[in-house]
Amino acid sequence: MTGLRERGFARYGAEQLGVALAGSGARDLARIKEVFAALPPDPYAPGTNRFRRYSHAVYLPWKDELSWIPGTPDPVHGTVTNFSQGEDDPENPRKLRVLPAIPEALRSNPLLLRLLRWDIEQVLSLRDLSRRPLWAGVHLIRLGVDGPGQNAVSSPNCLHQDGSSASTFTFAHLISRTNVTGGRNVIATPGSAGLQPEDPWADIHASFTLTDPLEGYAVHDHRVSHYVGPVSTGSEPGPGERSVLIVGLAPYIPQL
């Protein structure tokens, strides 16, 4: 993607992804939505109306092979996965968290796999990683509100970076957005990390709201900071939600 190379961020839609949301594509998307609808609450953020699951995968470029890493057995969630956003998460600095893992049945969903592979293709086009495994952190996040007066808040609730490494990329794909207001995305300079978008010192590159299924954006982490605002119930009766697939990609770093 030209924008990701030149500016450190880019936007895209289902057409750029090469995905047709009809026939089997529509059925695959419906199955993904079912998993999002049943996401458990974020165990580290009670009262935020944030729901999530998270798993790891590894891609081997020389084999063109994507493999999910098994989670740790858990009596409540089935399996769980370690998650850390590093020092750059002001809400949980240097804190290792354990999150419910993505269900086994969803890991073979053709649409989910297509999105993961498209993200990987973009990174491989920018970096020569043909001899290194690529680490993927796959995050399902739903902001859900039940009625008037409720807000759902993302994390961190400020402009931030996901590690700030020169080799880290983050992709966001909107899965669904129903009866909510808010959820504005903001892309800013690295120096704006830790600020709110309204802060007079924040240096904003772009501000937009994802509305269509699979619409999304990508960021080259060390070159920008990013943010998504809280959501509130919309004008229709009943609950509202904003569901997003987040994929973080970086070269695998040996531990020995």
Side-chain angles (χ1 to χ4, degrees):
M1 286 187 291
T2 303
L4 191 57
R5 182 187 301 276
E6 296 180 351
R7 301 178 298 172
F9 70 96
R11 295 181 60 187
Y12 47 80
E15 182 177 347
Q16 286 78 21
L17 298 172
V19 174
L21 292 178
S24 61
R27 291 191 292 272
D28 293 336
L29 180 59
R31 295 187 184 101
I32 295 174
K33 289 180 178 180
E34 290 174 359
V35 174
F36 270 92
L39 291 179
D42 186 336
Y44 298 94
T48 61
N49 296 314
R50 183 167 70 239
F51 306 82
R52 69 202 306 185
R53 284 187 179 273
Y54 178 80
S55 287
H56 297 144
V58 170
Y59 177 74
L60 304 181
W62 55 90
K63 287 189 173 184
D64 188 26
E65 180 179 288
L66 180 68
S67 179
W68 293 93
I69 298 175
T72 302
D74 180 81
V76 176
H77 300 293
T79 57
V80 294
T81 302
N82 290 341
F83 172 73
S84 176
Q85 211 160 354
E87 298 180 6
D88 296 286
D89 182 353
E91 296 177 4
N92 298 278
R94 302 183 66 87
K95 182 177 181 179
L96 180 66
R97 289 169 277 175
V98 177
L99 297 175
I102 295 174
E104 190 72 29
L106 185 64
R107 299 183 183 192
S108 59
N109 182 283
L111 177 57
L112 178 66
L113 293 176
R114 171 59 189 149
L115 296 177
L116 289 178
R117 283 184 168 273
W118 188 86
D119 297 346
I120 289 168
E121 289 167 7
Q122 310 316 305
V123 173
L124 294 181
S125 71
L126 296 173
R127 287 284 187 271
D128 180 13
L129 299 172
S130 59
R131 295 176 178 83
R132 297 184 64 181
L134 196 63
W135 182 269
V138 185
H139 216 146
L140 313 183
I141 302 176
R142 176 168 60 89
L143 300 180
V145 285
D146 292 328
Q150 275 197 346
N151 290 326
V153 183
S154 189
S155 174
N157 188 25
C158 62
L159 286 159
H160 63 280
Q161 295 172 290
D162 294 327
S164 69
S165 165
S167 298
T168 299
F169 296 81
T170 301
F171 295 78
H173 304 275
L174 182 70
I175 300 301
S176 62
R177 178 187 172 98
T178 307
N179 193 32
V180 291
T181 61
R184 176 176 64 117
N185 290 100
V186 178
I187 310 294
T189 60
S192 301
L195 303 176
Q196 292 295 318
E198 295 76 17
D199 193 298
W201 290 277
D203 188 359
I204 306 299
H205 289 316
S207 177
F208 53 90
T209 301
L210 304 179
T211 58
D212 299 325
L214 304 189
E215 184 182 5
Y217 66 92
V219 297
H220 190 179
D221 193 63
H222 83 296
R223 297 174 61 189
V224 296
S225 59
H226 55 102
Y227 163 88
V228 58
V231 303
S232 304
T233 310
S235 59
E236 301 296 324
E241 57 79 33
R242 178 186 185 272
S243 297
V244 178
L245 169 69
I246 303 290
V247 179
L249 296 172
Y252 179 79
I253 300 175
Q255 299 300 307
L256 295 176

